[in-house]
Amino acid sequence: MDFFESIDMNDRKRVDFGTVRGTQFLEPLFEFSGACSGCGETPYLKLLSQLFGDRATIANATGCSSIYGGNLPTTPWAKNAQGRGPAWSNSLFEDNAEFGLGMRLAADLHGDLARVRLEQVRDQIGDDALVDSILGSAQLQGSELAEQLEAVERLKSRLTELDGPLIADLQSVADTLVRRSVWIVGGDGWAYDIGSSGVDHVLASGRDVNILVLDTEVYSNTGGQASKSTPLGAVAKFASGGKLSNKKDLAMQAMAYGSVYVARVAMGADPQQTLKAFREAEAYDGPSLIIAYSHCIAHGYDIRKGLDQQYKAVNSGHWPLMRYNPIIRDAGGNPFLLDSRGRGCLWRSTARRSCATRC
């Protein structure tokens, strides 16, 4: 075990972030959780940690994801060899969205302070090229983020040789010069029901936050009760005769703002579309919402076939895959992208279908 843990991870600069195969060479910072075997939620969190984990700040609503995410004294959230990893905290159903928005506001405030202090002590640092590279970095591509992290480390090393109140102030917030990735995570019970007003408030704020809804279509953590996400006719606790009302369309509500990036994904149906949605949402400078179909033990079928169930949900039209990207609208195009177009038109590669096709 010591030997295998001593092997260096792949250099992120050399990994292709744009393919499913490539992302599997990225170190996951969400490891062994206490979730049910075959849980449909945890793969999305693993992907999130691989793509953004070393600079992620996560506000996690109470529910399944907070139970297996914070089951102390152990936790599945990990750190890399450099000691960096997601900053994770849990808040209750009714205020988790606001809790995550507070994380964004704090990161923005600290980042602004760091840039002001860096400009003020430019002469003391004595390296205009270093200061300009930090202040001018776009930090959109993975390579740009890696370069920014290296530059900030050089800056912190230089600051240890200096003294003064402005230097001390800059040292306390220097890490925020690397762009934070703020994620607000929870289930459909939180996003559709108890915390829905907070979710709407955050989406309307215009702030650069990412909301990930792990949609099992029931209250999973408390035994599978019907929620506003439960579809019409579905049998669940408190809806034993079949739910009488339609599933709430959270995606359509978010798209109505016009300034929110929105995606519906299902990893078992199209992993490439899921990867693309995560990357686009995080890169979008504004609020984003990803609704991820998550199979659950409360659904009552063999959970080993969960990904097959996701594929069937999409292929039948129950869970259409889509993305709404305001950037495309601003460029004069159609911002709505329907990624699933009916039966038999999904990308998939399985043991039964060896060659992947795209319709």
Side-chain angles (χ1 to χ4, degrees):
M1 179 64 74
D2 291 339
F3 166 74
F4 282 108
E5 289 188 345
S6 69
I7 299 176
D8 292 335
M9 293 300 300
N10 297 288
D11 183 355
R12 293 177 68 90
K13 295 179 182 179
R14 300 174 63 87
V15 173
D16 182 4
F17 283 65
T19 65
V20 175
R21 184 192 300 271
T23 58
Q24 299 316 297
F25 290 99
L26 298 172
E27 180 180 9
L29 298 178
F30 180 87
E31 297 181 333
F32 309 106
S33 73
C36 301
S37 298
C39 173
E41 296 184 356
T42 51
Y44 298 108
L45 296 176
K46 172 179 174 283
L47 177 62
L48 187 158
S49 77
Q50 287 175 298
L51 293 173
F52 323 115
D54 59 343
R55 56 188 181 87
T57 303
I58 301 171
N60 205 135
T62 297
C64 281
S65 53
S66 75
I67 300 304
Y68 61 66
N71 51 347
L72 298 175
T74 62
T75 173
W77 296 101
K79 59 185 179 181
N80 58 24
Q82 291 73 43
R84 301 186 184 91
W88 182 96
S89 190
N90 162 241
S91 187
L92 297 177
F93 270 124
E94 65 271 18
D95 59 9
N96 183 62
E98 296 90 334
F99 182 57
L101 179 59
M103 291 179 172
R104 177 76 272 169
L105 295 175
D108 290 346
L109 179 64
H110 290 160
D112 291 342
L113 176 62
R115 284 185 284 274
V116 170
R117 293 290 183 262
L118 181 56
E119 192 64 59
Q120 290 174 329
V121 300
R122 174 190 288 267
D123 293 339
Q124 289 180 260
I125 294 173
D127 189 341
D128 285 341
L130 175 61
V131 174
D132 289 339
S133 68
I134 292 175
L135 295 177
S137 176
Q139 300 191 68
L140 295 177
Q141 303 294 328
S143 57
E144 294 172 341
L145 286 160
E147 291 170 0
Q148 180 77 346
L149 180 59
E150 293 175 359
V152 170
E153 289 301 313
R154 294 201 305 274
L155 171 66
K156 290 164 63 177
S157 176
R158 179 75 181 97
L159 292 177
T160 59
E161 304 169 1
L162 305 174
D163 195 16
L166 295 181
I167 296 295
D169 212 12
L170 177 56
Q171 285 178 313
S172 69
V173 291
D175 286 328
T176 60
L177 291 167
V178 178
R179 182 169 66 85
R180 293 288 179 88
S181 183
V182 177
W183 288 84
I184 305 173
V185 177
D188 52 276
W190 158 68
Y192 285 75
D193 285 3
I194 300 174
S196 60
S197 61
V199 171
D200 181 69
H201 172 69
V202 171
L203 293 177
S205 71
R207 293 284 183 168
D208 185 15
V209 295
N210 308 287
I211 299 177
L212 173 61
V213 180
L214 302 167
D215 193 347
T216 64
E217 300 190 314
V218 289
Y219 277 92
S220 297
N221 189 51
T222 50
Q225 296 93 336
S227 75
K228 288 189 180 70
S229 176
T230 304
L232 176 68
V235 174
K237 291 182 180 179
F238 303 128
S240 57
K243 186 163 174 280
L244 300 178
S245 58
N246 286 319
K247 177 185 175 78
K248 180 178 178 180
D249 197 338
L250 183 61
M252 183 173 289
Q253 290 182 351
M255 284 188 291
Y257 281 108
S259 59
V260 179
Y261 178 92
V262 185
R264 286 165 59 103
V265 303
M267 191 172 287
D270 194 337
Q272 184 64 43
Q273 188 259 358
T274 301
L275 171 61
K276 185 177 294 185
F278 270 75
R279 296 185 65 209
E280 289 178 348
E282 205 277 336
Y284 178 65
D285 186 15
S288 65
L289 172 68
I290 298 177
I291 307 173
Y293 186 89
S294 306
H295 56 267
C296 175
I297 196 171
H299 291 175
Y301 49 79
D302 186 349
I303 204 68
R304 292 180 300 171
K305 300 179 180 179
L307 292 179
D308 291 331
Q309 194 72 14
Q310 290 194 26
Y311 180 80
K312 292 176 181 178
V314 173
N315 204 31
S316 66
H318 169 67
W319 189 272
L321 303 180
M322 51 74 57
R323 287 171 291 140
Y324 178 90
N325 194 341
I327 293 178
I328 298 178
R329 181 204 59 206
D330 295 341
N334 183 359
F336 183 83
L337 303 168
L338 182 63
D339 293 314
S340 58
R341 302 184 183 277
R343 295 180 59 83
C345 290
L346 292 175
W347 176 90
R348 201 182 191 204
S349 179
T350 66
R352 296 186 300 275
R353 187 184 303 172
S354 60
C355 60
T357 59
R358 180 76 180 183
C359 299

